[in-house]
Amino acid sequence: MKPQKRGLPKNRIVPERKMYFRPEVTHCPDCGTKLKRHHNASNKIVATLEGIIEVWNMAYHCPDPVCGKPKRYFRSVQADALCLKHTSYAYDVLALVGEMRFKQHMTVTEISKALKSEASPPQSVTLCVSTNGI
């Protein structure tokens, strides 16, 4: 067994808090048995405009061996809707960067400086991010 490394994580973002998500469904849709936790579906560090969070998405399954779909796993839709699959940035950050780049015509350097500063986004920027259909 390898010793665990200490220090900064791989993406150099240190989370401020942890959030654990369970699936919104509590019982099997086929047989009605209460779902049981099976494994951690994902663990990722997500940067949002409110701060940096560590997101744990727990996968649940039907423990009934007679159930028609025993290998089906249920995950949290909320956890999956926080950010794109292989990124560490939430949709609110991506929307802000898109707003700065394409509406305000800021350069990449200007956007980087704006994101690094502790100041809030300009008052003219209005974020309208919809999670419907994600």
Side-chain angles (χ1 to χ4, degrees):
M1 184 177 208
K2 288 184 176 181
Q4 201 171 22
K5 294 181 180 180
R6 302 261 181 212
L8 292 173
K10 185 170 73 172
N11 61 0
R12 303 271 192 229
I13 300 175
V14 179
E16 299 166 359
R17 62 189 169 119
K18 291 182 182 182
M19 293 180 71
Y20 295 89
F21 290 91
R22 295 182 198 163
E24 291 74 21
V25 179
T26 57
H27 291 78
C28 178
D30 294 329
C31 66
T33 307
K34 186 173 180 178
L35 298 175
K36 185 177 177 184
R37 184 172 163 225
H38 189 265
H39 65 278
N40 296 333
S42 66
N43 171 22
K44 63 192 312 189
I45 297 172
V46 179
T48 67
L49 292 178
E50 287 85 31
I52 299 167
I53 55 175
E54 185 174 0
V55 177
W56 288 81
N57 193 355
M58 307 298 174
Y60 281 63
H61 79 295
C62 181
D64 188 4
V66 184
C67 183
K69 300 182 180 176
K71 295 288 184 185
R72 180 173 53 182
Y73 299 106
F74 297 91
R75 302 165 45 113
S76 171
V77 176
Q78 283 183 324
D80 290 337
L82 282 174
C83 64
L84 292 171
K85 190 170 184 176
H86 297 287
T87 65
S88 297
Y89 298 101
Y91 285 110
D92 56 355
V93 175
L94 296 176
L96 178 63
V97 169
E99 179 89 15
M100 291 175 166
R101 181 73 174 143
F102 298 110
K103 195 168 187 182
Q104 298 178 6
H105 305 290
M106 295 172 74
T107 65
V108 175
T109 306
E110 291 170 339
I111 293 171
S112 179
K113 286 180 184 176
L115 291 176
K116 287 180 184 176
S117 71
E118 294 295 323
S120 61
Q123 295 299 328
S124 62
V125 175
T126 305
L127 295 178
C128 297
V129 179
S130 172
T131 57
N132 295 340
I134 295 176

Short mmCIF file of all heavy atoms in Angstrom, two decimals, residues 24-69:
data_model
loop_
_atom_site.label_atom_id
_atom_site.label_comp_id
_atom_site.label_asym_id
_atom_site.label_seq_id
_atom_site.Cartn_x
_atom_site.Cartn_y
_atom_site.Cartn_z
N GLU A 24 -32.02 11.59 -5.27
CA GLU A 24 -33.31 12.12 -4.88
C GLU A 24 -34.36 11.00 -4.70
O GLU A 24 -35.33 11.15 -3.98
CB GLU A 24 -33.80 13.13 -5.92
CG GLU A 24 -32.99 14.42 -5.95
CD GLU A 24 -31.60 14.30 -6.58
OE1 GLU A 24 -31.36 13.35 -7.35
OE2 GLU A 24 -30.76 15.16 -6.28
N VAL A 25 -34.12 9.87 -5.34
CA VAL A 25 -35.00 8.71 -5.23
C VAL A 25 -34.55 7.89 -4.03
O VAL A 25 -33.37 7.60 -3.88
CB VAL A 25 -34.91 7.84 -6.52
CG1 VAL A 25 -35.79 6.62 -6.43
CG2 VAL A 25 -35.24 8.66 -7.74
N THR A 26 -35.48 7.51 -3.15
CA THR A 26 -35.12 6.75 -1.96
C THR A 26 -35.51 5.28 -2.05
O THR A 26 -34.98 4.46 -1.31
CB THR A 26 -35.77 7.35 -0.70
OG1 THR A 26 -37.19 7.38 -0.88
CG2 THR A 26 -35.24 8.75 -0.44
N HIS A 27 -36.45 4.96 -2.96
CA HIS A 27 -36.90 3.58 -3.12
C HIS A 27 -36.78 3.16 -4.59
O HIS A 27 -36.87 3.98 -5.49
CB HIS A 27 -38.35 3.43 -2.66
CG HIS A 27 -38.50 3.58 -1.18
ND1 HIS A 27 -38.50 4.80 -0.55
CD2 HIS A 27 -38.63 2.65 -0.21
CE1 HIS A 27 -38.64 4.64 0.75
NE2 HIS A 27 -38.72 3.34 0.99
N CYS A 28 -36.57 1.87 -4.80
CA CYS A 28 -36.45 1.32 -6.15
C CYS A 28 -37.74 1.54 -6.93
O CYS A 28 -38.83 1.19 -6.43
CB CYS A 28 -36.12 -0.17 -6.07
SG CYS A 28 -35.98 -0.96 -7.68
N PRO A 29 -37.66 2.11 -8.13
CA PRO A 29 -38.88 2.32 -8.92
C PRO A 29 -39.53 1.03 -9.40
O PRO A 29 -40.72 1.01 -9.70
CB PRO A 29 -38.41 3.15 -10.11
CG PRO A 29 -36.97 3.37 -9.96
CD PRO A 29 -36.49 2.67 -8.75
N ASP A 30 -38.78 -0.07 -9.46
CA ASP A 30 -39.33 -1.34 -9.95
C ASP A 30 -40.01 -2.15 -8.86
O ASP A 30 -41.13 -2.60 -9.02
CB ASP A 30 -38.23 -2.18 -10.59
CG ASP A 30 -37.68 -1.55 -11.85
OD1 ASP A 30 -38.45 -0.85 -12.54
OD2 ASP A 30 -36.49 -1.73 -12.14
N CYS A 31 -39.31 -2.32 -7.71
CA CYS A 31 -39.87 -3.20 -6.68
C CYS A 31 -40.27 -2.46 -5.40
O CYS A 31 -40.93 -3.04 -4.55
CB CYS A 31 -38.87 -4.31 -6.35
SG CYS A 31 -37.35 -3.73 -5.57
N GLY A 32 -39.87 -1.21 -5.23
CA GLY A 32 -40.26 -0.43 -4.05
C GLY A 32 -39.38 -0.62 -2.84
O GLY A 32 -39.63 -0.03 -1.79
N THR A 33 -38.33 -1.42 -2.95
CA THR A 33 -37.41 -1.63 -1.83
C THR A 33 -36.58 -0.38 -1.59
O THR A 33 -36.21 0.31 -2.53
CB THR A 33 -36.45 -2.82 -2.14
OG1 THR A 33 -37.23 -3.95 -2.50
CG2 THR A 33 -35.57 -3.16 -0.96
N LYS A 34 -36.28 -0.10 -0.31
CA LYS A 34 -35.47 1.06 0.02
C LYS A 34 -34.05 0.86 -0.53
O LYS A 34 -33.45 -0.20 -0.38
CB LYS A 34 -35.41 1.27 1.53
CG LYS A 34 -34.71 2.54 1.91
CD LYS A 34 -34.80 2.82 3.39
CE LYS A 34 -34.06 4.12 3.67
NZ LYS A 34 -34.13 4.48 5.08
N LEU A 35 -33.53 1.90 -1.20
CA LEU A 35 -32.19 1.82 -1.79
C LEU A 35 -31.12 1.81 -0.72
O LEU A 35 -31.29 2.40 0.35
CB LEU A 35 -31.96 2.99 -2.74
CG LEU A 35 -32.91 3.08 -3.94
CD1 LEU A 35 -32.63 4.36 -4.73
CD2 LEU A 35 -32.77 1.87 -4.82
N LYS A 36 -30.00 1.17 -1.02
CA LYS A 36 -28.88 1.05 -0.09
C LYS A 36 -27.63 1.64 -0.73
O LYS A 36 -27.41 1.49 -1.94
CB LYS A 36 -28.65 -0.43 0.24
CG LYS A 36 -27.61 -0.66 1.28
CD LYS A 36 -27.49 -2.14 1.59
CE LYS A 36 -26.38 -2.37 2.59
NZ LYS A 36 -26.18 -3.81 2.84
N ARG A 37 -26.82 2.29 0.07
CA ARG A 37 -25.60 2.89 -0.45
C ARG A 37 -24.65 1.79 -0.94
O ARG A 37 -24.42 0.80 -0.25
CB ARG A 37 -24.90 3.73 0.63
CG ARG A 37 -23.69 4.43 0.09
CD ARG A 37 -23.12 5.40 1.09
NE ARG A 37 -21.78 5.71 0.66
CZ ARG A 37 -20.73 5.75 1.44
NH1 ARG A 37 -20.85 5.55 2.71
NH2 ARG A 37 -19.55 6.01 0.95
N HIS A 38 -24.09 2.01 -2.13
CA HIS A 38 -23.21 0.99 -2.72
C HIS A 38 -21.77 1.48 -2.80
O HIS A 38 -20.85 0.78 -2.37
CB HIS A 38 -23.71 0.60 -4.11
CG HIS A 38 -22.99 -0.56 -4.69
ND1 HIS A 38 -21.92 -0.43 -5.54
CD2 HIS A 38 -23.19 -1.89 -4.51
CE1 HIS A 38 -21.48 -1.63 -5.87
NE2 HIS A 38 -22.23 -2.54 -5.28
N HIS A 39 -21.54 2.67 -3.36
CA HIS A 39 -20.18 3.19 -3.50
C HIS A 39 -20.22 4.70 -3.71
O HIS A 39 -21.28 5.28 -3.87
CB HIS A 39 -19.44 2.51 -4.65
CG HIS A 39 -20.03 2.79 -5.99
ND1 HIS A 39 -21.13 2.11 -6.50
CD2 HIS A 39 -19.71 3.70 -6.95
CE1 HIS A 39 -21.43 2.57 -7.69
NE2 HIS A 39 -20.59 3.55 -8.00
N ASN A 40 -19.05 5.32 -3.70
CA ASN A 40 -18.94 6.75 -4.03
C ASN A 40 -18.88 6.87 -5.54
O ASN A 40 -17.93 6.42 -6.17
CB ASN A 40 -17.68 7.36 -3.42
CG ASN A 40 -17.71 7.35 -1.92
OD1 ASN A 40 -18.78 7.36 -1.31
ND2 ASN A 40 -16.55 7.31 -1.30
N ALA A 41 -19.89 7.51 -6.13
CA ALA A 41 -19.93 7.64 -7.58
C ALA A 41 -18.89 8.64 -8.08
O ALA A 41 -18.27 8.45 -9.11
CB ALA A 41 -21.32 8.05 -8.04
N SER A 42 -18.72 9.73 -7.34
CA SER A 42 -17.70 10.72 -7.73
C SER A 42 -17.30 11.55 -6.53
O SER A 42 -18.06 11.70 -5.57
CB SER A 42 -18.22 11.63 -8.84
OG SER A 42 -19.28 12.44 -8.37
N ASN A 43 -16.10 12.05 -6.60
CA ASN A 43 -15.56 12.97 -5.60
C ASN A 43 -14.75 13.98 -6.38
O ASN A 43 -13.73 13.65 -6.96
CB ASN A 43 -14.68 12.21 -4.61
CG ASN A 43 -13.92 13.14 -3.70
OD1 ASN A 43 -14.31 14.29 -3.50
ND2 ASN A 43 -12.83 12.66 -3.14
N LYS A 44 -15.24 15.23 -6.40
CA LYS A 44 -14.50 16.24 -7.16
C LYS A 44 -14.55 17.57 -6.44
O LYS A 44 -15.44 17.84 -5.65
CB LYS A 44 -15.00 16.35 -8.59
CG LYS A 44 -16.41 16.78 -8.77
CD LYS A 44 -16.95 16.61 -10.18
CE LYS A 44 -16.11 17.13 -11.28
NZ LYS A 44 -16.75 17.13 -12.58
N ILE A 45 -13.54 18.38 -6.71
CA ILE A 45 -13.45 19.72 -6.15
C ILE A 45 -13.97 20.69 -7.20
O ILE A 45 -13.51 20.69 -8.33
CB ILE A 45 -12.00 20.03 -5.75
CG1 ILE A 45 -11.56 19.07 -4.66
CG2 ILE A 45 -11.88 21.47 -5.29
CD1 ILE A 45 -10.11 19.14 -4.30
N VAL A 46 -14.97 21.50 -6.81
CA VAL A 46 -15.65 22.38 -7.74
C VAL A 46 -15.49 23.83 -7.28
O VAL A 46 -15.75 24.16 -6.13
CB VAL A 46 -17.15 22.03 -7.83
CG1 VAL A 46 -17.88 22.95 -8.77
CG2 VAL A 46 -17.33 20.58 -8.25
N ALA A 47 -15.05 24.69 -8.20
CA ALA A 47 -14.93 26.11 -7.93
C ALA A 47 -16.20 26.81 -8.39
O ALA A 47 -16.57 26.74 -9.55
CB ALA A 47 -13.71 26.68 -8.65
N THR A 48 -16.88 27.48 -7.45
CA THR A 48 -18.07 28.26 -7.76
C THR A 48 -17.79 29.72 -7.41
O THR A 48 -16.74 30.04 -6.84
CB THR A 48 -19.28 27.78 -6.95
OG1 THR A 48 -19.06 28.07 -5.57
CG2 THR A 48 -19.53 26.29 -7.13
N LEU A 49 -18.72 30.60 -7.74
CA LEU A 49 -18.54 32.01 -7.39
C LEU A 49 -18.66 32.23 -5.88
O LEU A 49 -18.11 33.18 -5.35
CB LEU A 49 -19.56 32.88 -8.13
CG LEU A 49 -19.38 32.97 -9.64
CD1 LEU A 49 -20.49 33.80 -10.26
CD2 LEU A 49 -18.02 33.54 -9.99
N GLU A 50 -19.37 31.34 -5.18
CA GLU A 50 -19.51 31.45 -3.73
C GLU A 50 -18.31 30.89 -2.98
O GLU A 50 -18.12 31.17 -1.81
CB GLU A 50 -20.77 30.73 -3.25
CG GLU A 50 -22.05 31.45 -3.60
CD GLU A 50 -22.52 31.11 -5.01
OE1 GLU A 50 -22.27 29.98 -5.48
OE2 GLU A 50 -23.12 31.99 -5.65
N GLY A 51 -17.52 30.05 -3.63
CA GLY A 51 -16.36 29.44 -2.98
C GLY A 51 -16.02 28.11 -3.60
O GLY A 51 -16.62 27.69 -4.60
N ILE A 52 -15.09 27.43 -2.99
CA ILE A 52 -14.62 26.14 -3.50
C ILE A 52 -15.15 25.05 -2.60
O ILE A 52 -15.00 25.10 -1.38
CB ILE A 52 -13.08 26.12 -3.55
CG1 ILE A 52 -12.60 27.22 -4.49
CG2 ILE A 52 -12.58 24.77 -4.00
CD1 ILE A 52 -11.14 27.50 -4.41
N ILE A 53 -15.81 24.05 -3.19
CA ILE A 53 -16.41 22.98 -2.42
C ILE A 53 -15.93 21.62 -2.92
O ILE A 53 -15.58 21.46 -4.08
CB ILE A 53 -17.95 23.03 -2.48
CG1 ILE A 53 -18.45 23.02 -3.92
CG2 ILE A 53 -18.49 24.23 -1.74
CD1 ILE A 53 -19.95 22.96 -4.06
N GLU A 54 -15.90 20.67 -2.02
CA GLU A 54 -15.60 19.29 -2.38
C GLU A 54 -16.93 18.55 -2.43
O GLU A 54 -17.68 18.52 -1.45
CB GLU A 54 -14.68 18.64 -1.35
CG GLU A 54 -14.24 17.26 -1.73
CD GLU A 54 -13.22 16.67 -0.78
OE1 GLU A 54 -12.83 17.34 0.20
OE2 GLU A 54 -12.80 15.54 -1.02
N VAL A 55 -17.26 17.99 -3.58
CA VAL A 55 -18.55 17.36 -3.81
C VAL A 55 -18.39 15.84 -3.83
O VAL A 55 -17.60 15.31 -4.61
CB VAL A 55 -19.16 17.85 -5.15
CG1 VAL A 55 -20.47 17.14 -5.43
CG2 VAL A 55 -19.36 19.35 -5.12
N TRP A 56 -19.13 15.18 -2.95
CA TRP A 56 -19.17 13.72 -2.91
C TRP A 56 -20.55 13.29 -3.38
O TRP A 56 -21.55 13.68 -2.81
CB TRP A 56 -18.95 13.21 -1.48
CG TRP A 56 -17.57 13.37 -0.99
CD1 TRP A 56 -17.00 14.50 -0.48
CD2 TRP A 56 -16.56 12.38 -0.98
NE1 TRP A 56 -15.69 14.27 -0.15
CE2 TRP A 56 -15.40 12.97 -0.42
CE3 TRP A 56 -16.51 11.05 -1.36
CZ2 TRP A 56 -14.22 12.27 -0.26
CZ3 TRP A 56 -15.32 10.36 -1.18
CH2 TRP A 56 -14.19 10.97 -0.65
N ASN A 57 -20.60 12.48 -4.44
CA ASN A 57 -21.85 11.96 -4.98
C ASN A 57 -21.92 10.47 -4.67
O ASN A 57 -21.13 9.69 -5.16
CB ASN A 57 -21.92 12.21 -6.49
CG ASN A 57 -23.29 11.98 -7.06
OD1 ASN A 57 -24.20 11.54 -6.38
ND2 ASN A 57 -23.44 12.28 -8.33
N MET A 58 -22.87 10.09 -3.82
CA MET A 58 -23.00 8.70 -3.39
C MET A 58 -23.92 7.94 -4.34
O MET A 58 -24.96 8.45 -4.75
CB MET A 58 -23.60 8.64 -1.99
CG MET A 58 -22.87 9.47 -0.97
SD MET A 58 -21.19 8.90 -0.78
CE MET A 58 -20.56 10.15 0.30
N ALA A 59 -23.53 6.73 -4.69
CA ALA A 59 -24.34 5.88 -5.57
C ALA A 59 -25.08 4.85 -4.72
O ALA A 59 -24.50 4.21 -3.85
CB ALA A 59 -23.45 5.17 -6.59
N TYR A 60 -26.38 4.73 -4.98
CA TYR A 60 -27.22 3.78 -4.28
C TYR A 60 -27.75 2.75 -5.27
O TYR A 60 -27.81 3.02 -6.47
CB TYR A 60 -28.40 4.50 -3.62
CG TYR A 60 -28.05 5.22 -2.33
CD1 TYR A 60 -27.14 6.27 -2.31
CD2 TYR A 60 -28.63 4.84 -1.13
CE1 TYR A 60 -26.82 6.91 -1.14
CE2 TYR A 60 -28.32 5.49 0.05
CZ TYR A 60 -27.42 6.52 0.04
OH TYR A 60 -27.09 7.16 1.21
N HIS A 61 -28.11 1.57 -4.77
CA HIS A 61 -28.68 0.52 -5.62
C HIS A 61 -29.75 -0.24 -4.85
O HIS A 61 -29.88 -0.09 -3.63
CB HIS A 61 -27.59 -0.43 -6.13
CG HIS A 61 -27.17 -1.44 -5.11
ND1 HIS A 61 -26.54 -1.12 -3.92
CD2 HIS A 61 -27.31 -2.78 -5.09
CE1 HIS A 61 -26.31 -2.21 -3.23
NE2 HIS A 61 -26.76 -3.24 -3.91
N CYS A 62 -30.49 -1.05 -5.56
CA CYS A 62 -31.53 -1.87 -4.94
C CYS A 62 -30.88 -3.13 -4.37
O CYS A 62 -30.25 -3.90 -5.10
CB CYS A 62 -32.61 -2.24 -5.95
SG CYS A 62 -33.94 -3.23 -5.23
N PRO A 63 -31.02 -3.37 -3.04
CA PRO A 63 -30.37 -4.55 -2.45
C PRO A 63 -31.14 -5.85 -2.67
O PRO A 63 -30.63 -6.93 -2.36
CB PRO A 63 -30.32 -4.20 -0.96
CG PRO A 63 -31.49 -3.30 -0.75
CD PRO A 63 -31.65 -2.53 -2.04
N ASP A 64 -32.35 -5.78 -3.20
CA ASP A 64 -33.19 -6.96 -3.40
C ASP A 64 -32.65 -7.79 -4.58
O ASP A 64 -32.62 -7.32 -5.71
CB ASP A 64 -34.63 -6.53 -3.67
CG ASP A 64 -35.59 -7.71 -3.70
OD1 ASP A 64 -35.16 -8.85 -3.44
OD2 ASP A 64 -36.78 -7.47 -3.98
N PRO A 65 -32.20 -9.03 -4.33
CA PRO A 65 -31.65 -9.85 -5.43
C PRO A 65 -32.71 -10.27 -6.45
O PRO A 65 -32.38 -10.62 -7.58
CB PRO A 65 -31.06 -11.07 -4.73
CG PRO A 65 -31.73 -11.13 -3.39
CD PRO A 65 -32.14 -9.73 -3.05
N VAL A 66 -33.98 -10.21 -6.09
CA VAL A 66 -35.06 -10.60 -7.00
C VAL A 66 -35.43 -9.44 -7.94
O VAL A 66 -36.08 -9.64 -8.95
CB VAL A 66 -36.30 -11.06 -6.19
CG1 VAL A 66 -37.40 -11.57 -7.09
CG2 VAL A 66 -35.91 -12.12 -5.18
N CYS A 67 -34.99 -8.24 -7.63
CA CYS A 67 -35.32 -7.06 -8.44
C CYS A 67 -34.83 -7.25 -9.87
O CYS A 67 -33.79 -7.85 -10.12
CB CYS A 67 -34.69 -5.81 -7.84
SG CYS A 67 -35.12 -4.29 -8.70
N GLY A 68 -35.56 -6.70 -10.80
CA GLY A 68 -35.24 -6.88 -12.23
C GLY A 68 -33.96 -6.20 -12.67
O GLY A 68 -33.35 -6.60 -13.65
N LYS A 69 -33.52 -5.15 -11.98
CA LYS A 69 -32.33 -4.42 -12.39
C LYS A 69 -31.40 -4.19 -11.20
O LYS A 69 -31.27 -3.09 -10.68
CB LYS A 69 -32.73 -3.09 -13.01
CG LYS A 69 -33.62 -3.27 -14.23
CD LYS A 69 -33.96 -1.96 -14.87
CE LYS A 69 -34.83 -2.22 -16.09
NZ LYS A 69 -35.30 -1.02 -16.70
#
